[in-house]
Amino acid sequence: TGVQVVNFQGARSNALPFEVLAPDAGTLPIIEQITCAGAPASMPASGGPGTGCTINGRNFGLQPGMVWFIGPDGQGRQADVSSPAQCGNSWWTTSSITIKVPRVVDNNDFDRDKNNRDLLGGAAKVYVQRYDAQQSGQKDFTLLETPNQDPFLACLEPQAGPKFSSVSFYGE
């Protein structure tokens, strides 16, 4: 795009190139901490399919992007971002993302035992991909094979308020 000046008589100047940058331009998303529902304090970045997790950090951007899990098999899977309708897009902020651990199936299990494909567990990685395709560094995550039954807090409404405010909690 270009920029021009128009004077009071309507005469236009020459145009110069100008690029409007996003507020996040020149930054990368940074994951500082991952905490998951039901995870022990010694291993907060761990959980099985459906486990609710909060990723805290900075430079995530105002628009939702994607969260990726790289499983023990090296395959990438997008996080589950489903949440109650009351949450809208509040699951993604510039410093916090609320997601659920995706189901990671063993693609080498050809279901010979007819019990559905087994879930993979073990060492995994998580990273944030911002709306402008910039990616954070990968953080360690421990995938558990057991689906999670712990409560998942997806959002609060409102997210801030004075002492004794009425606050609604939404989740599963």
Side-chain angles (χ1 to χ4, degrees):
T1 61
V3 175
Q4 284 183 305
V5 175
V6 179
N7 69 12
F8 292 111
Q9 289 80 31
R12 295 182 176 274
S13 71
N14 59 311
L16 292 176
F18 183 80
E19 182 179 358
V20 178
L21 299 175
D24 304 308
T27 67
L28 292 176
I30 297 171
I31 297 174
E32 294 172 346
Q33 182 182 35
I34 302 173
T35 55
C36 299
S42 61
M43 205 169 57
S46 64
T51 301
C53 299
T54 301
I55 301 170
N56 291 307
R58 56 185 192 267
N59 305 329
F60 295 150
L62 293 173
Q63 299 174 31
M66 293 181 276
V67 175
W68 291 90
F69 281 75
I70 308 299
D73 59 357
Q75 298 294 313
R77 293 158 181 93
Q78 286 188 37
D80 178 355
V81 298
S82 62
S83 60
Q86 295 90 337
C87 296
N89 278 342
S90 69
W91 61 275
W92 186 288
T93 71
T94 59
S95 61
S96 177
I97 304 169
T98 305
I99 52 93
K100 289 184 269 187
V101 176
R103 197 173 142 79
V104 179
V105 296
D106 184 353
N107 289 323
N108 294 318
D109 175 7
F110 296 103
D111 203 25
R112 291 186 186 105
D113 53 5
K114 305 291 184 212
N115 69 344
N116 296 321
R117 287 192 172 170
D118 293 333
L119 296 174
L120 277 180
K125 300 284 186 182
V126 175
Y127 70 92
V128 172
Q129 181 177 335
R130 201 169 52 205
Y131 66 93
D132 60 0
Q134 295 298 315
Q135 297 177 0
S136 70
Q138 296 182 357
K139 283 287 193 183
D140 291 335
F141 191 91
T142 302
L143 278 174
L144 305 177
E145 297 171 22
T146 309
N148 188 305
Q149 302 299 319
D150 293 306
F152 167 49
L153 187 58
C155 67
L156 308 173
E157 187 59 43
Q159 293 181 350
K163 192 174 183 179
F164 302 115
S165 292
S166 178
V167 178
S168 296
F169 298 83
Y170 299 99
E172 301 171 359

